[in-house]
Amino acid sequence: MRLWIALHLPRLPLEVFTPSWSTDTGTDVGTVVLDQERVLVASQVAQDAGVRTGMRRGGVLMLLPDARIHERAPTLEADARQAVALALLQYTPQVAEGEESTLLMDVGASLRLFGGIRALCRRVHANMRALGFTASLACAPTARGAWLLARANAGRAVRMEALLRRLDRLAVLLMPPARPYAAWFDGIGCHTLGDLRRLPRPGLQRRCGRELLDLLDAAYGLVPELYEWISPPETFRARLELYDRIDDADLLLAGAQCLLLQLTGWLCARQLAVERITLQLEHERGRVARPPTGVEIVLAEPTWRDEHLVRLLKERLGRLTLEAPVIGLALEALQVRPMAPPNASLFPEPGGSEDDRMRMLELLAARLGADNVLQPLPLADYRPEQANVWVPVQQKVSDKARNAQLPPDVLSLPRPTWLLARPIALLMRDHRPFYGSPLRMASNPERLEAGWWDGPETRDYFIAEGLDHTLYWVYRERIGMGEDGPKWFLHGLFG
């Protein structure tokens, strides 16, 4: 199934200067980003003071004289999108950059690996929080459809039918090619994409151009979509410019975690595991420049996951004494090696743990069905069909049944390798049981009388031999004889 996740970063122009993990409401005096001398986006403190989108610089300074005002930095935004894309490569190699601060991920082949779309969305949201960015996430069967849902913050639409319904309700001006014609659309009462689809296509194309129709068709899955996937670099070195001079280890760890997420995505995309990394803590530059402080970590076993690296960095930073405030972080992978290939065999290696065995059984149950992978559950009963019980390996077994012990004398008696699920009634020829050939009794009878509490069974079991010397386990009913004598049944086969 083709499924796309779109990530829209609506506050990216602001969060490249003040990522969310660095926000301190006690010291924030208000941050504003200007685009062509007008407010593009403002922090919550600035909004609470009355700063609004489109306001001029003078109006901002009148409301917040101490506000931090930044000019929009497209280069920093592009670097931030690249960092986010690099972190997302741990979920799929098919990550592309969309319009208007949006990233697209084709995750159709990754759903089972990460436990389904909901679990995957939760992980992506957690990564975005760790990276310090506010993200509006949506998923849909088409990339353009997911992009429009993310721009409108309209949630998930996993199936095509749900996507069509959601798209029909979206505002037509969400589509960039439609914005130059906003007044015309408003004049004819075309406010939603559903209204737009009902307009005559030839006239719409003459009025608005082919680009609008192409975008609409792609969103509704009527034309194929082609993207250029983001490719990871040959080597990894990432840098993070901190929002202020920091001498707090917790905030340094939060910044380092942003770099570790990028490292994880790079390792997964390149199919590598890291053995040695270094984190450079950059200090003041210029006249009072100081050399960076290096924190090097050498791992006993190569890894490509960030959880273990975060724990190691936390311990190292907690014991580190900073000689000067830190203004930047740089992470570099110094030594990597190819990922150890997973065990391709079905069965675990000799000497494996109980977890290896259970993973193998879970894999078998997933491939063959839970009812086709069974485990024995012997019960303390003389009747073979009661003592020989099989249940699915994933079924929880009560302690009473698990600890049941068969009568010791039963274990010393001959038993067939294969017990039939149901006994087969045998034909009688010349007063002898017949199964492919006349059967000759090759053992003395073993009398079984049990089950008086739920239907008594009285049988005489024999080992019988056919003309081809095959050995069978048969029994004779001692109760309920027919007109032709006792009834004989085949119950098992010896190997």
Side-chain angles (χ1 to χ4, degrees):
M1 180 181 68
R2 200 76 183 268
L3 193 63
W4 294 79
I5 289 180
L7 280 172
H8 176 54
L9 307 173
R11 299 177 65 80
L12 185 63
L14 174 69
E15 290 170 340
V16 295
F17 298 105
T18 57
S20 59
W21 54 263
S22 68
T23 301
D24 186 352
T25 56
T27 60
D28 185 14
V29 295
T31 305
V32 178
V33 177
L34 301 180
D35 186 16
Q36 298 180 357
E37 290 301 310
R38 290 187 178 273
V39 175
L40 176 66
V41 61
S43 67
Q44 188 60 48
V45 172
Q47 293 180 36
D48 293 341
V51 177
R52 295 294 180 263
T53 302
M55 187 178 290
R56 292 186 178 275
R57 181 191 295 265
V60 174
L61 293 176
M62 183 177 64
L63 295 172
L64 281 174
D66 298 328
R68 295 179 178 178
I69 300 179
H70 302 276
E71 292 291 336
R72 186 176 187 180
T75 303
L76 293 181
E77 295 177 29
D79 293 341
R81 286 194 298 270
Q82 187 69 22
V84 173
L86 198 59
L88 295 178
L89 287 175
Q90 62 183 295
Y91 302 115
T92 173
Q94 297 177 328
V95 179
E97 189 168 348
E99 299 89 343
E100 299 184 330
S101 299
T102 305
L103 292 168
L104 302 170
M105 307 163 54
D106 185 357
V107 297
S110 307
L111 296 181
R112 292 187 63 184
L113 178 62
F114 294 101
I117 186 61
R118 294 191 179 186
L120 181 55
C121 289
R122 286 195 295 269
R123 294 184 61 153
V124 173
H125 265 303
N127 290 161
M128 291 301 103
R129 288 193 296 269
L131 289 169
F133 300 119
T134 303
S136 172
L137 185 149
C139 57
T142 66
R144 295 288 189 174
W147 172 70
L148 288 171
L149 292 180
R151 291 280 289 110
N153 198 18
R156 297 189 294 263
V158 178
R159 298 187 179 278
M160 199 66 190
E161 299 81 5
L163 174 63
L164 299 182
R165 291 194 299 269
R166 287 177 182 264
L167 288 178
D168 284 344
R169 295 194 294 266
L170 296 184
V172 69
L173 296 184
L174 279 175
M175 305 175 70
R179 292 170 192 164
Y181 309 97
W184 181 70
F185 282 123
D186 185 62
I188 65 174
C190 180
H191 303 293
T192 66
L193 296 185
D195 298 334
L196 185 65
R197 294 177 68 196
R198 288 188 286 270
L199 294 178
R201 290 177 65 92
L204 186 61
Q205 181 174 345
R206 287 193 301 270
R207 167 72 71 164
C208 303
R210 184 66 195 177
E211 185 181 1
L212 178 63
L213 290 177
D214 290 342
L215 178 56
L216 187 69
D217 291 342
Y220 281 85
L222 301 178
V223 295
E225 299 175 282
L226 298 177
Y227 289 95
E228 183 178 352
W229 308 121
I230 294 174
S231 59
E234 293 292 330
T235 59
F236 180 83
R237 190 180 191 280
R239 188 178 177 280
L240 178 66
E241 188 79 22
L242 297 180
Y243 70 100
D244 202 352
R245 294 171 175 80
I246 295 179
D247 53 8
D248 184 271
D250 290 336
L251 289 180
L252 286 180
L253 180 64
Q257 190 174 0
C258 299
L259 301 177
L260 288 175
L261 283 173
Q262 299 176 50
L263 174 63
T264 300
W266 180 81
L267 291 171
C268 291
R270 304 287 302 180
Q271 293 293 291
L272 297 172
V274 66
E275 295 180 313
R276 185 162 64 98
I277 63 173
T278 179
L279 179 68
Q280 298 287 336
L281 311 180
E282 300 176 356
H283 304 295
E284 295 286 348
R285 306 184 185 94
R287 295 181 180 179
V288 292
R290 301 178 64 95
T293 301
V295 179
E296 185 173 341
I297 294 180
V298 180
L299 293 99
E301 293 184 0
T303 184
W304 57 89
R305 298 300 181 193
D306 64 312
E307 295 88 353
H308 184 54
L309 295 173
V310 169
R311 288 195 294 268
L312 293 177
L313 269 180
K314 183 177 181 180
E315 294 294 331
R316 293 291 299 273
L317 291 176
R319 298 195 303 267
L320 184 66
T321 301
L322 295 176
E323 298 180 358
V326 180
I327 63 173
L329 300 173
L331 181 68
E332 186 174 3
L334 299 178
Q335 187 174 344
V336 296
R337 59 182 295 181
M339 281 185 185
N343 185 11
S345 62
L346 175 61
F347 299 100
E349 296 292 337
S353 64
E354 179 67 15
D355 291 339
D356 295 333
R357 188 183 73 89
M358 290 306 300
R359 279 194 291 269
M360 181 267 293
L361 293 176
E362 290 173 356
L363 178 60
L364 280 174
R367 291 183 178 178
L368 305 177
D371 294 336
N372 295 321
V373 183
L374 307 177
Q375 62 179 336
L377 180 63
L379 300 178
D381 199 304
Y382 281 96
R383 293 170 293 177
E385 60 270 26
Q386 299 297 327
N388 187 69
V389 176
W390 293 81
V391 297
V393 293
Q394 297 174 337
Q395 177 177 326
K396 294 183 179 180
V397 180
S398 65
D399 294 337
K400 181 178 180 180
R402 185 183 296 108
N403 299 325
Q405 298 292 329
L406 293 175
D409 53 341
V410 171
L411 301 178
S412 62
L413 297 173
R415 287 292 181 265
T417 305
W418 189 263
L419 190 70
L420 301 181
R422 291 184 179 181
I424 299 176
L426 298 176
L427 300 175
M428 298 297 295
R429 293 186 180 178
D430 298 329
H431 305 287
R432 295 174 63 183
F434 185 92
Y435 187 74
S437 66
L439 300 181
R440 181 183 65 85
M441 300 302 114
S443 71
N444 294 325
E446 174 194 340
R447 180 155 295 179
L448 187 151
E449 294 183 355
W452 55 267
W453 55 91
D454 59 355
E457 293 182 1
T458 56
R459 301 171 180 173
D460 288 337
Y461 277 89
F462 297 85
I463 298 176
E465 183 180 3
L467 293 181
D468 58 353
H469 304 293
T470 301
L471 298 179
Y472 303 94
W473 205 41
V474 301
Y475 67 85
R476 176 181 60 191
E477 287 280 8
R478 296 181 57 244
I479 296 179
M481 294 186 183
E483 296 179 356
D484 299 332
K487 295 180 180 179
W488 289 84
F489 295 85
L490 173 65
H491 206 173
L493 296 90
F494 289 91

